[in-house]
Every structure is written in C-alpha cells, then in structure tokens.
C-alpha cells in the first residue's frame, strides 16, 4: 500500500522536513514504523556529513519560490514598480522566473543575469563591480545591483534571487531583500 501523506497534509504546513524521503516508504510487513529500540540504535550511529562544510543544504522548490515571488511582488506593488524576478538554486538551475505586467522587456534577462551572478558566487551582484573583469567569466555575470544570494542563518547557500525593473539597482535590491529576510521561515514552512 502507498504510505504517502494525504494531499491535505502536503505543501505548506507545520510538518518537519527533516525526515528522509525513504521514511515514508514501507519496510516490508512492518510498514513505515520503526520500533523504539531500532530508532534509538539508529540515532546512536554517527551520521556522515553530506559535504565537507556540514549537512547538505535544502534544495529550493517551486513552493519556496512561489512564496518568495509573492512577497517580492507585494513589495513591488506597494512601491508601484513592475519588476521581473528570477530565482535560481545553488547549482544555478532556474527555479522560477516571472515578469509582472508592464515590467521592462530588458529586465526579463537582466533579472536572471543578476540571479546567476549571485548563484555562482554567493555575494550581492553589485559587489562584483569591485572585481573588474569578473563579468566576463562564466557566461554573463552581472555587476548591477539587484541580485542577492539566498544564505540560511546557518550559512548554507541555497540559491539566489535577481530582481530587475526598478529605476535603480538599490530599489531592485530592496525588493529582493524582502524574500531574503524570510528565507529560513520559507524553507521550513513551504515545501
């Protein structure tokens, strides 16, 4: 039988994301439940680190990106600025990309260039202006403000956000910061 959670418990919720994907699969006749003794024995065994820097950071999902987009879009509407938003994961893969109504056409690609910059090098894209020539590396790297890395409170880089369309890079960055400031909450509550 399928032990997957019912649709009403998936997505946003108070469930912890710390369970491994295999914990919802059955294990023969015993199902997915473990005895307290086996759970205690598993807890005592040392767990190998996922990488040299500690545990593996969480991958960004569409649900994470959708909440970030909701927050940034609300801020852009409050400022009456149509923008483009690009969200990339820590491997520089596209997670989500939107263009608000009336956002500048040039902002479509620029938002992704800013996000790409901060995904490959986890720094604000505007900081790259201090490293002349870096914009010529790795395809197109933007040194225009508006790209911010997504770094958790524990210091793990999980991706980046690029915002473009405001009259200045400072405003693009202000809009992106709304989602960056909520990153840990979003990772815990939207999946």
């Amino acid at each position: 039988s399928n032990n997957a959670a019912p649709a009403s418990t998936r997505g946003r919720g108070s469930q912890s994301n710390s369970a491994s994907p295999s914990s919802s699969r059955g294990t023969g006749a015993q199902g997915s439940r473990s005895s307290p003794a086996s759970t205690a024995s598993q807890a005592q065994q040392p767990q190998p680190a996922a990488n040299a820097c500690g545990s593996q950071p969480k991958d960004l999902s569409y649900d994470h990106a959708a909440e970030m987009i909701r927050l940034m879009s609300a801020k852009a509407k409050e400022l009456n600025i149509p923008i483009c938003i690009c969200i990339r994961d820590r491997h520089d893969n596209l997670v989500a990309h939107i263009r608000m109504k009336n956002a500048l056409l040039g902002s479509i690609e620029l938002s992704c260039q800013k996000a790409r910059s901060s995904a490959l090098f986890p720094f604000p894209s505007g900081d790259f202006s201090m490293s002349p020539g870096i914009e010529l590396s790795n395809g197109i790297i933007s040194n225009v403000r508006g790209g911010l890395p997504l770094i958790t409170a524990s210091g793990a880089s999980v991706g980046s956000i690029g915002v473009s369309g405001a009259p200045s890079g400072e405003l693009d960055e202000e809009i992106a910061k709304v989602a960056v400031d909520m990153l840990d909450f979003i990772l815990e509550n939207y999946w």
Side-chain angles (χ1 to χ4, degrees):
S1 71
N2 185 353
N3 290 332
S8 63
T9 62
R10 280 184 261 148
R12 230 184 305 181
S14 59
Q15 293 179 326
S16 170
N17 289 336
S18 61
S20 70
S22 63
S23 67
S24 64
R25 294 188 197 117
T27 55
Q30 293 179 329
S32 63
R33 300 193 186 272
S34 299
S35 71
S38 69
T39 303
S41 122
Q42 289 171 354
Q44 293 172 356
Q45 295 176 357
Q47 299 298 317
N51 60 35
C53 297
S55 65
Q56 189 75 15
K58 182 177 289 202
D59 285 328
L60 292 179
S61 71
Y62 169 77
D63 292 328
H64 298 134
E67 178 59 11
M68 288 185 236
I69 288 169
R70 186 191 69 75
L71 292 169
M72 290 182 284
S73 295
K75 179 67 173 179
K77 287 176 184 172
E78 174 189 312
L79 297 171
N80 199 28
I81 301 171
I83 58 168
C84 293
I85 301 168
C86 184
I87 300 174
R88 302 186 83 84
D89 69 14
R90 68 181 188 270
H91 305 291
D92 190 36
N93 295 309
L94 180 66
V95 178
H97 187 208
I98 63 109
R99 175 180 177 244
M100 293 175 68
K101 184 178 180 179
N102 297 321
L104 298 169
L105 292 176
S107 294
I108 296 169
E109 184 60 28
L110 186 53
S111 65
C112 282
Q113 290 172 2
K114 292 176 181 184
R116 183 171 201 273
S117 302
S118 291
L120 294 174
F121 304 98
F123 299 100
S125 60
D127 288 0
F128 297 127
S129 62
M130 294 184 284
S131 301
I134 197 166
E135 67 276 2
L136 303 173
S137 71
N138 294 294
I140 298 176
I141 300 295
S142 175
N143 60 8
V144 178
R145 289 181 71 171
L148 293 177
L150 293 170
I151 299 177
T152 65
S154 63
S157 175
V158 296
S160 63
I161 294 174
V163 173
S164 184
S168 70
E170 291 79 12
L171 274 173
D172 286 335
E173 215 169 81
E174 179 183 328
I175 294 167
K177 195 164 175 2
V178 171
V180 170
D181 289 345
M182 295 296 295
L183 178 63
D184 288 300
F185 178 81
I186 292 168
L187 291 176
E188 283 298 316
N189 293 288
Y190 296 83
W191 43 276

